mmCIF file of all heavy atoms in Angstrom:
data_model
loop_
_atom_site.group_PDB
_atom_site.id
_atom_site.type_symbol
_atom_site.label_atom_id
_atom_site.label_comp_id
_atom_site.label_asym_id
_atom_site.label_seq_id
_atom_site.Cartn_x
_atom_site.Cartn_y
_atom_site.Cartn_z
ATOM 1 N N VAL A 181 96.612 109.624 58.010
ATOM 2 C CA VAL A 181 97.467 110.600 58.445
ATOM 3 C C VAL A 181 97.616 110.555 59.942
ATOM 4 O O VAL A 181 96.583 110.532 60.628
ATOM 5 C CB VAL A 181 96.999 112.027 58.032
ATOM 6 C CG1 VAL A 181 97.966 113.140 58.539
ATOM 7 C CG2 VAL A 181 96.963 112.080 56.511
ATOM 8 N N GLY A 182 98.748 110.428 60.482
ATOM 9 C CA GLY A 182 98.991 110.228 61.981
ATOM 10 C C GLY A 182 99.599 111.485 62.477
ATOM 11 O O GLY A 182 99.783 112.558 61.858
ATOM 12 N N SER A 183 99.910 111.367 63.821
ATOM 13 C CA SER A 183 100.659 112.426 64.482
ATOM 14 C C SER A 183 101.694 111.730 65.441
ATOM 15 O O SER A 183 101.675 110.537 65.556
ATOM 16 C CB SER A 183 99.668 113.246 65.335
ATOM 17 O OG SER A 183 99.263 112.429 66.494
ATOM 18 N N MET A 184 102.541 112.612 66.061
ATOM 19 C CA MET A 184 103.596 112.081 66.907
ATOM 20 C C MET A 184 102.945 111.216 68.046
ATOM 21 O O MET A 184 103.649 110.349 68.662
ATOM 22 C CB MET A 184 104.353 113.247 67.516
ATOM 23 C CG MET A 184 105.306 113.883 66.483
ATOM 24 S SD MET A 184 106.601 112.755 65.901
ATOM 25 C CE MET A 184 107.412 113.746 64.661
ATOM 26 N N GLU A 185 101.704 111.466 68.402
ATOM 27 C CA GLU A 185 100.993 110.632 69.386
ATOM 28 C C GLU A 185 100.899 109.100 69.077
ATOM 29 O O GLU A 185 100.897 108.230 69.920
ATOM 30 C CB GLU A 185 99.526 111.001 69.577
ATOM 31 C CG GLU A 185 99.296 112.527 69.670
ATOM 32 C CD GLU A 185 99.628 113.020 71.052
ATOM 33 O OE1 GLU A 185 98.818 112.701 71.926
ATOM 34 O OE2 GLU A 185 100.670 113.671 71.212
ATOM 35 N N ASP A 186 100.952 108.861 67.717
ATOM 36 C CA ASP A 186 100.907 107.409 67.222
ATOM 37 C C ASP A 186 102.123 106.612 67.517
ATOM 38 O O ASP A 186 102.118 105.410 67.504
ATOM 39 C CB ASP A 186 100.577 107.397 65.734
ATOM 40 C CG ASP A 186 99.155 107.892 65.448
ATOM 41 O OD1 ASP A 186 98.234 107.199 65.894
ATOM 42 O OD2 ASP A 186 99.009 108.949 64.743
ATOM 43 N N ILE A 187 103.274 107.362 67.828
ATOM 44 C CA ILE A 187 104.527 106.669 67.879
ATOM 45 C C ILE A 187 104.511 105.697 69.135
ATOM 46 O O ILE A 187 105.057 104.605 69.050
ATOM 47 C CB ILE A 187 105.652 107.633 67.957
ATOM 48 C CG1 ILE A 187 105.834 108.258 66.540
ATOM 49 C CG2 ILE A 187 107.034 107.028 68.418
ATOM 50 C CD1 ILE A 187 106.726 109.377 66.412
ATOM 51 N N ALA A 188 104.077 106.169 70.217
ATOM 52 C CA ALA A 188 104.095 105.363 71.478
ATOM 53 C C ALA A 188 103.308 104.035 71.301
ATOM 54 O O ALA A 188 103.614 103.138 72.041
ATOM 55 C CB ALA A 188 103.597 106.159 72.705
ATOM 56 N N ALA A 189 102.264 104.043 70.530
ATOM 57 C CA ALA A 189 101.365 102.842 70.398
ATOM 58 C C ALA A 189 101.786 101.911 69.283
ATOM 59 O O ALA A 189 101.200 100.830 69.146
ATOM 60 C CB ALA A 189 99.954 103.360 70.231
ATOM 61 N N ALA A 190 102.785 102.232 68.598
ATOM 62 C CA ALA A 190 103.091 101.510 67.369
ATOM 63 C C ALA A 190 103.924 100.297 67.653
ATOM 64 O O ALA A 190 104.708 100.371 68.618
ATOM 65 C CB ALA A 190 103.816 102.338 66.355
ATOM 66 N N ASP A 191 103.904 99.230 66.882
ATOM 67 C CA ASP A 191 104.782 98.125 67.032
ATOM 68 C C ASP A 191 106.108 98.406 66.271
ATOM 69 O O ASP A 191 107.082 97.998 66.764
ATOM 70 C CB ASP A 191 104.152 96.843 66.313
ATOM 71 C CG ASP A 191 102.873 96.504 66.842
ATOM 72 O OD1 ASP A 191 102.671 96.304 68.057
ATOM 73 O OD2 ASP A 191 101.887 96.394 66.060
ATOM 74 N N LEU A 192 105.951 99.197 65.154
ATOM 75 C CA LEU A 192 107.114 99.446 64.296
ATOM 76 C C LEU A 192 107.103 100.886 64.118
ATOM 77 O O LEU A 192 106.072 101.519 63.628
ATOM 78 C CB LEU A 192 106.948 98.684 63.021
ATOM 79 C CG LEU A 192 107.971 98.957 61.958
ATOM 80 C CD1 LEU A 192 109.409 98.575 62.310
ATOM 81 C CD2 LEU A 192 107.561 98.260 60.544
ATOM 82 N N VAL A 193 108.267 101.602 64.313
ATOM 83 C CA VAL A 193 108.463 103.032 64.038
ATOM 84 C C VAL A 193 109.463 103.193 62.867
ATOM 85 O O VAL A 193 110.582 102.676 63.087
ATOM 86 C CB VAL A 193 108.805 103.804 65.295
ATOM 87 C CG1 VAL A 193 108.888 105.271 64.907
ATOM 88 C CG2 VAL A 193 107.787 103.569 66.351
ATOM 89 N N VAL A 194 109.120 103.817 61.747
ATOM 90 C CA VAL A 194 110.108 103.969 60.710
ATOM 91 C C VAL A 194 110.409 105.372 60.517
ATOM 92 O O VAL A 194 109.493 106.269 60.409
ATOM 93 C CB VAL A 194 109.543 103.321 59.472
ATOM 94 C CG1 VAL A 194 110.502 103.456 58.237
ATOM 95 C CG2 VAL A 194 109.000 101.937 59.646
ATOM 96 N N ASN A 195 111.661 105.706 60.387
ATOM 97 C CA ASN A 195 112.066 107.072 59.945
ATOM 98 C C ASN A 195 112.346 106.971 58.441
ATOM 99 O O ASN A 195 113.358 106.424 58.010
ATOM 100 C CB ASN A 195 113.365 107.576 60.692
ATOM 101 C CG ASN A 195 113.763 108.868 60.065
ATOM 102 O OD1 ASN A 195 112.965 109.707 59.622
ATOM 103 N ND2 ASN A 195 115.114 109.164 59.940
#
Side-chain angles (χ1 to χ4, degrees):
V181 175
S183 71
M184 288 294 177
E185 314 281 291
D186 289 299
I187 289 173
D191 304 305
L192 171 68
V193 181
V194 181
N195 174 35

